[in-house]
Amino acid sequence: YTFQDSADGAFPQSPPIVGPDGNLYGTTYFGGESVCACGTIYKLTLDGIKTVLHTFQGGKDGANPYGGVLFDKAGVIYGTTEDGGNHCLTHGVACGSVYSLGTDGSFQTLHVLDGLGDGQYADSVLTIDSKGYLYGTGSGGGNRNCIQGCGTVFRLKAKQ
């Protein structure tokens, strides 16, 4: 499949994963039908038919997904955005977010990083444990001895 930019999405930064239905799922860093062109979550069938499942709008919705997606046992998609969320407490820029996309297409922002203890720039692929906790990293935030923080590992409960 060749991404077309604009509404289709552009710049997939992480490899797609195979979903429970056998199709490929992933994110694009830019593009989508929004003013900010903040990225998309997509599904790609093995015969090359692509569907945009969600277009990021910036703000609390998140922006610029970098780390790809993860499925839980129920088929819910989870991921992170490098930007978006609310403004960080320390730098006045967006810190990133953690989101879920339900099997019914419902999108929810689960957590917005604050740029301090829980990090900034959530740009990792999440992992999930047997108790339903999501783990990820923020490449900034945390210890302020680094210019924008040295980074964090965070944990939060997945949507059940």
Side-chain angles (χ1 to χ4, degrees):
Y1 184 82
T2 302
F3 290 92
Q4 304 298 314
D5 199 7
S6 218
D8 185 52
F11 304 113
Q13 298 294 316
S14 62
I17 65 166
V18 178
D21 60 1
N23 293 309
L24 298 175
Y25 291 82
T27 59
T28 62
Y29 193 75
F30 291 121
E33 291 189 19
S34 66
V35 174
C36 66
C38 295
T40 68
I41 303 170
Y42 67 85
K43 173 176 94 172
L44 181 63
T45 64
L46 297 181
D47 56 352
I49 298 170
K50 185 178 143 299
T51 304
V52 173
L53 302 176
H54 181 74
T55 297
F56 291 93
Q57 303 295 318
K60 187 177 180 201
D61 184 58
N64 311 113
Y66 189 85
V69 297
L70 158 80
F71 280 91
D72 70 5
K73 292 177 185 176
V76 175
I77 295 172
Y78 295 94
T80 60
T81 65
E82 185 175 60
D83 298 311
N86 294 324
H87 288 297
C88 285
L89 299 176
T90 57
H91 295 297
V93 297
C95 288
S97 64
V98 179
Y99 64 83
S100 67
L101 182 66
T103 57
D104 62 355
S106 59
F107 181 88
Q108 181 178 3
T109 300
L110 300 176
H111 184 71
V112 174
L113 278 71
D114 66 8
L116 298 170
D118 64 357
Q120 180 177 354
Y121 309 129
D123 52 10
S124 66
V125 176
L126 296 170
T127 59
I128 190 167
D129 69 14
S130 62
K131 295 181 181 178
Y133 284 97
L134 298 168
Y135 296 86
T137 60
S139 61
N143 184 335
R144 289 292 175 207
N145 291 329
C146 299
I147 293 172
Q148 290 190 337
C150 297
T152 60
V153 175
F154 58 84
R155 175 183 90 158
L156 64 128
K157 187 73 172 163
K159 175 181 169 185
Q160 298 296 324

